[in-house]
């Protein structure tokens, strides 16, 4: 299961936007950070690779994480 957890870990002194840890089954997978126009980072795919959706809002990352969680749940039920 993918979760996005707001954190200040790794933030620079004057950084105003929070970062988000990408947690996969309770373990740190990656970190999303704000870059010029949106957040940047990767999300885990079921096959072990990484999904990079580019500079997007945190809402877009949350939607994509929810979609990946649903897909993973459906694969496990089959």
């Amino acid at each position: 299961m993918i979760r996005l957890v707001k954190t200040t870990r790794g933030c620079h002194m004057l950084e105003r936007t929070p970062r988000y840890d990408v947690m996969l089954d309770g373990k740190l997978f990656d970190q999303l950070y704000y870059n010029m126009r949106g957040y940047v980072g990767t999300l885990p795919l079921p096959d072990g690779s990484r999904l990079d959706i580019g500079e997007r809002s945190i809402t877009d990352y949350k939607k994509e994480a929810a979609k990946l969680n649903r897909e993973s749940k459906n694969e496990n039920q089959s």
Side-chain angles (χ1 to χ4, degrees):
M1 178 170 181
I2 302 169
R3 288 187 20 218
L4 301 180
V5 180
K6 190 184 287 190
T7 184
T8 56
R9 186 181 59 77
C11 289
H12 299 286
M13 190 179 344
L14 299 176
E15 197 169 334
R16 294 180 183 188
T17 55
R19 292 183 180 209
Y20 289 83
D21 285 338
V22 178
M23 307 298 285
L24 176 61
D25 297 327
K27 296 179 183 173
L28 182 64
F29 178 81
D30 197 4
Q31 189 175 70
L32 303 177
Y33 64 93
Y34 193 82
N35 188 32
M36 303 303 279
R37 294 174 293 168
Y39 280 88
V40 176
T42 59
L43 297 173
L45 291 173
D47 65 0
S49 61
R50 295 173 177 259
L51 173 65
D52 181 0
I53 63 172
E55 258 184 76
R56 307 295 285 273
S57 70
I58 194 62
T59 304
D60 289 343
Y61 273 95
K62 288 179 180 180
K63 286 178 184 176
E64 193 64 36
K67 180 179 154 190
L68 290 170
N69 283 335
R70 278 192 305 274
E71 289 175 5
S72 178
K73 185 177 178 182
N74 289 339
E75 284 181 14
N76 290 339
Q77 289 180 352
S78 298

